[in-house]
Amino acid sequence: MLIGVVASLAAALCWTLASGLWRRLPTSLSALQLNLLKNLIGGLTLLPALLLPGVLEGVPLAALVALLLSGVLGIALGDSFYFAALRRLGTRRSLTLDAGGPALSALVAQFTLGETLLPQHWLGIALICLAVVSVARQAPPGGGPLSEQGVGLLCIALALLCGLSGALLSRWALRLTLMPPLQAAALRLLAALVVMLPWVRLPRSQGPRPARSRWPLVVAATLLGTSLGIVLQQASLRALPAGLAVALMATAPLMALPLSRLEGDRPGRAGAVAALLGFAGVVLLAAAPG
């Protein structure tokens, strides 16, 4: 239980820091191109894990298919929608992905995976949802056209749908096999790459791509959010019920509060209250038996 809690919170921190780095990256790459770029780099770092002898021996075919499909939904589609929202709404709001995510994932997991949560779990999830609602309702830095904010919110909703589907598929697959989180993360990235390559047009010689001076930022964001973040996510989904894992990883927007000033985003007293609510929810989840 404790290992799963630590992995979930560490994954949330990785995604918070990576989102801030992506937000600072000045590039005209589209959301799809940016997602493919970070998946290529992340895949290169994790792919060697799949080349170890015997790594896929004894893994049920159903589990392999579920992990590959979760990569397509959660990484290829979900992350593309997320990048589209990130540019429109800022780091703090984009990280919410929808306040009802944890409760929805717990509810779906009860019916699909047979996972039962205690009242203490539900209270912790509710507090985290309330905290994230408070963060999401605050205006993004610089305002921006209402149409752009509407598109951003639509992208967040789609990212939520794809992300939750991918998380539930991963949880189901990891319950069927003893595959380590590192190999599970590598499989998901590989599936996302295979699906995205035929659809994403890479820029030519004069196309929109990060300058050489920006590559350290790209690599750092990828290693944090993609390579390490996805491995920690898989470790969390292996150790915890899907609803608890998603709830703890949903604390990312609360972790973004201290970084919000770097984007000119001042959450004020409401941000502090949200952070306290989120912290209380995490404590309830971490202290719950099971």
Side-chain angles (χ1 to χ4, degrees), residues 207-256:
R209 60 176 181 268
R212 291 183 179 179
S213 59
R214 300 167 191 165
W215 277 106
L217 196 65
V218 172
V219 173
T222 300
L223 292 179
L224 273 174
T226 304
S227 302
L228 183 57
I230 294 178
V231 172
L232 289 168
Q233 177 201 46
Q234 298 305 290
S236 170
L237 289 169
R238 172 182 287 282
L240 296 175
L244 299 188
V246 173
L248 289 170
M249 287 185 282
T251 56
L254 307 178
M255 295 181 182

Side-chain angles (χ1 to χ4, degrees), residues 16-78:
T16 299
L17 297 175
S19 294
L21 292 175
W22 286 120
R23 172 74 173 175
R24 292 174 57 192
L25 180 66
T27 177
S28 55
L29 287 172
S30 69
L32 283 173
Q33 290 170 336
L34 202 58
N35 191 18
L36 178 61
L37 175 64
K38 63 97 172 169
N39 288 340
L40 281 170
I41 298 174
L44 289 176
T45 63
L46 296 183
L47 195 57
L50 293 177
L51 302 179
L52 298 175
V55 68
L56 298 180
E57 288 183 5
V59 178
L61 179 61
L64 288 176
V65 173
L67 284 173
L68 293 173
L69 184 57
S70 76
V72 173
L73 290 172
I75 300 176
L77 293 176

